Amino acid sequence: MAPLDRCSILPLLHLLLCRLVAVLSFPGFILKVDKSCCLLWSSDFQLPPLPAYSLAGCDEVAYEERRYPAGKWACVTMGEPLYEQSISMSFMKLMRYICKENSVGCHLGMTIPVLNEIHLTKEGTKLEREVLTAYYLPGEFQQNPPVPMDPEIHITERAPLRVITRVFYGMTTEETILREISHFWELLGSTDSVLQETYIVASYENPSIPQRRNEIWFICRAE
């Protein structure tokens, strides 16, 4: 029997770690996990925090400023009625791409955070339906990203990014996100240095964990 290569072993290891997980749950929405795909985020599995960033400045209590380098991301855009539905559907698509549904047929490896780019309506009181969810490709695939089998997944070169970030914990719904954005503006004060219609919600843990770590990112305007 031929020895198993890395692409065969890693998915099996993840599958063994997560074999008891059958569904991901969100408030009012349940999405089944495809049995052919291993679950990459488990509460006891440590994931690498990629991409790396440099700390540009910070407030020890409230927030910090970071700079992220340019890089390639796999992105999916969904426009479901609820924010939670959009991110869960996009996440499942990206999981399948990461696991094996790509041109090299290989497990790519998970990176965090997973980014969810959101837009406010003109009134600033609601979220636009469309949410872009992005997964950073590991370093070994940055030069030649595997092609997704799913036509709704696109590989995008994202420019360097400077953001002001604040941590919050719990489930991410439209209500909680709008509340965190409003609270962040109160802390930050009036400024024209960041975008006021586009924000990013960064996810660091399994979406099924109730008190998971998230961040709100305010995007700084180009210098």
Side-chain angles (χ1 to χ4, degrees):
M1 179 181 294
L4 292 174
D5 59 16
R6 176 176 176 271
C7 293
S8 299
I9 292 174
L10 287 178
L12 291 175
L13 291 176
H14 279 289
L15 185 58
L16 289 172
L17 284 170
C18 310
R19 60 185 300 182
L20 298 180
V21 180
V23 296
L24 291 175
S25 297
F26 296 84
F29 185 70
I30 296 177
L31 185 63
K32 291 184 179 180
V33 177
D34 191 321
K35 292 181 180 179
S36 66
C37 185
C38 52
L39 184 63
L40 298 180
W41 272 352
S42 71
S43 60
D44 58 353
F45 188 73
Q46 187 65 37
L47 298 171
L50 294 174
Y53 64 86
S54 60
L55 198 63
C58 68
D59 180 307
E60 290 184 0
V61 177
Y63 53 82
E64 65 183 27
E65 182 179 336
R66 303 180 194 151
R67 295 177 185 268
Y68 287 87
K72 292 185 174 67
W73 297 70
C75 304
V76 182
T77 300
M78 287 287 172
E80 298 301 311
L82 296 178
Y83 169 83
E84 307 95 277
Q85 293 176 334
S86 292
I87 64 169
S88 58
M89 292 179 71
S90 294
F91 177 69
M92 294 306 298
K93 283 178 173 287
L94 291 171
M95 274 181 52
R96 295 187 183 101
Y97 168 67
I98 294 165
C99 284
K100 204 169 184 181
E101 293 184 12
N102 54 68
S103 58
V104 295
C106 182
H107 175 270
L108 306 182
M110 189 63 191
T111 63
I112 55 173
V114 172
L115 305 184
N116 299 291
E117 185 175 287
I118 57 175
H119 304 275
L120 297 188
T121 58
K122 291 181 180 180
E123 298 78 18
T125 57
K126 294 182 179 180
L127 299 183
E128 295 282 2
R129 272 187 154 188
E130 286 198 346
V131 180
L132 182 147
T133 300
Y135 150 77
Y136 182 78
L137 287 157
E140 62 192 285
F141 300 110
Q142 279 290 312
Q143 291 300 317
N144 296 295
V147 177
M149 293 183 180
D150 188 334
E152 292 188 327
I153 299 176
H154 303 281
I155 305 301
T156 303
E157 175 86 33
R158 294 174 71 92
L161 188 65
R162 185 164 62 94
V163 296
I164 302 175
T165 76
R166 176 174 168 78
V167 175
F168 70 99
Y169 294 89
M171 305 296 283
T172 53
T173 65
E174 180 170 352
E175 180 182 1
T176 60
I177 290 170
L178 290 173
R179 183 172 63 243
E180 290 298 329
I181 290 174
S182 176
H183 184 47
F184 202 166
W185 272 115
E186 291 177 4
L187 293 170
L188 196 60
S190 179
T191 178
D192 293 326
S193 63
V194 298
L195 303 182
Q196 298 186 23
E197 67 284 344
T198 302
Y199 301 87
I200 291 173
V201 180
S203 300
Y204 286 82
E205 296 180 278
N206 187 326
S208 66
I209 297 175
Q211 290 301 312
R212 64 181 179 269
R213 177 190 171 183
N214 312 284
E215 291 176 346
I216 286 287
W217 290 8
F218 279 25
I219 303 169
C220 298
R221 298 184 187 277
E223 297 175 330

